[in-house]
Amino acid sequence: MADYHFVYKDVDGASTQWDDIQRKLGNLPPKPPAFKPPPFTPATDPDSQPKDTAWLDSKNPDELEELEDDPDLDDDRFLQEYRKKRLAEMQEAAKVLRFGSVIPISGSDFVREVSQAPSDVWVVVILYKEGIPECGLLMQSIEELAIKYPATKFVKIISTDCIPNYPDRNLPTLLVYNNGAVKGNYVGLHSFGRRCTPEGVALVLCQTDPVLNDGHNRDEQSRKAVIEGVRKRFIEKVVADHEEDDDDYSSD
């Protein structure tokens, strides 16, 4: 006859009343703690993360443009607020006039383009004539500054169109206007140092503060930053030219 044995196994971690009594008497070791699985933590889904300003700041301009056309984000309140804020920033930026080049004008344009320019716009006028090398040299510097400081208005006009019989020996001449009045007058290329460079011309123009405006801000702190930047670049240019002269002398 076969010997049948039945072994009962309770739930893992469970114990009988008898075991509990034996543990109280010290006849059995303490009952091990029941197994408890760690709490479930779902994997991070980037699309489900809250979309706040920090999330927007992590996006590049192209990604931001795509977000504006994303229909899935139309109902996100934060994005609506962002759009309002961005529109306000664009409207504020539009208030800052940007030129970015040397504008050619004629005598009949002078009053409108220079004398009647808005009071918060500084206008730099270069009087020149074609074929005069000194005019071409200064024009190169002015064109570079016009790009670097797009909120300052740079215009050029043939000297005799502006002032009849203006002598060529005074060319080139720079006139600085603000609020319809002349604020600076620089006659001849020698006004800008031994070497006419954009850095040197900028430093001279900084004597008429705040003629140079990069368009970022209009407060006093930003103006000082522009002037300090001009001075720094001028010093760096002088040092570089000095080192270049030393190298040329050594090579001879």
Side-chain angles (χ1 to χ4, degrees), residues 41-110:
T41 304
T44 303
D45 181 7
D47 294 333
S48 65
Q49 295 300 302
K51 300 174 178 60
D52 53 14
T53 53
W55 180 79
L56 281 175
D57 291 340
S58 67
K59 302 295 182 183
N60 60 42
D62 292 336
E63 291 172 332
L64 287 175
E65 291 294 337
E66 292 177 1
L67 285 178
E68 290 190 345
D69 299 328
D70 191 339
D72 296 334
L73 298 178
D74 284 345
D75 296 331
D76 284 1
R77 185 178 302 174
F78 92 95
L79 191 59
Q80 294 177 9
E81 293 299 322
Y82 165 74
R83 286 171 174 163
K84 291 180 182 178
K85 181 180 178 182
R86 184 168 183 179
L87 180 60
E89 291 174 348
M90 292 173 62
Q91 291 173 340
E92 186 65 26
K95 295 179 182 178
V96 179
L97 294 177
R98 291 182 178 270
F99 304 100
S101 64
V102 181
I103 305 169
I105 63 172
S106 63
S108 60
D109 301 326
F110 193 91

Side-chain angles (χ1 to χ4, degrees), residues 123-137:
V123 186
V124 177
V125 183
I126 177 170
L127 307 184
Y128 77 105
K129 271 188 178 180
E130 296 289 351
I132 298 179
E134 291 81 0
C135 292
L137 188 59

Side-chain angles (χ1 to χ4, degrees), residues 27-44:
N27 297 329
L28 289 176
K31 183 175 67 171
F35 172 75
K36 209 174 202 185
F40 173 73
T41 304
T44 303

Side-chain angles (χ1 to χ4, degrees), residues 61-216:
D62 292 336
E63 291 172 332
L64 287 175
E65 291 294 337
E66 292 177 1
L67 285 178
E68 290 190 345
D69 299 328
D70 191 339
D72 296 334
L73 298 178
D74 284 345
D75 296 331
D76 284 1
R77 185 178 302 174
F78 92 95
L79 191 59
Q80 294 177 9
E81 293 299 322
Y82 165 74
R83 286 171 174 163
K84 291 180 182 178
K85 181 180 178 182
R86 184 168 183 179
L87 180 60
E89 291 174 348
M90 292 173 62
Q91 291 173 340
E92 186 65 26
K95 295 179 182 178
V96 179
L97 294 177
R98 291 182 178 270
F99 304 100
S101 64
V102 181
I103 305 169
I105 63 172
S106 63
S108 60
D109 301 326
F110 193 91
V111 172
R112 182 184 70 253
E113 297 290 343
V114 179
S115 302
Q116 295 179 352
S119 60
D120 58 344
V121 174
W122 288 75
V123 186
V124 177
V125 183
I126 177 170
L127 307 184
Y128 77 105
K129 271 188 178 180
E130 296 289 351
I132 298 179
E134 291 81 0
C135 292
L137 188 59
L138 180 59
M139 191 70 73
Q140 292 177 4
S141 296
I142 293 298
E143 288 173 347
E144 185 170 327
L145 294 178
I147 296 173
K148 190 170 186 62
Y149 302 100
T152 297
K153 187 175 185 179
F154 290 85
V155 302
K156 62 181 181 179
I157 182 171
I158 296 175
S159 57
T160 49
D161 285 352
C162 179
I163 305 174
N165 302 318
Y166 191 75
D168 290 353
R169 65 176 179 274
N170 291 344
L171 298 180
T173 295
L174 276 190
L175 304 176
V176 179
Y177 276 77
N178 179 247
N179 201 20
V182 178
K183 302 295 184 178
N185 185 357
Y186 308 98
V187 179
L189 198 63
H190 64 275
S191 301
F192 307 101
R194 184 169 60 91
R195 293 184 178 181
C196 182
T197 64
E199 295 79 13
V201 175
L203 187 65
V204 172
L205 290 177
C206 278
Q207 298 173 11
T208 312
D209 179 42
V211 57
L212 296 180
N213 189 341
D214 56 12
H216 294 308

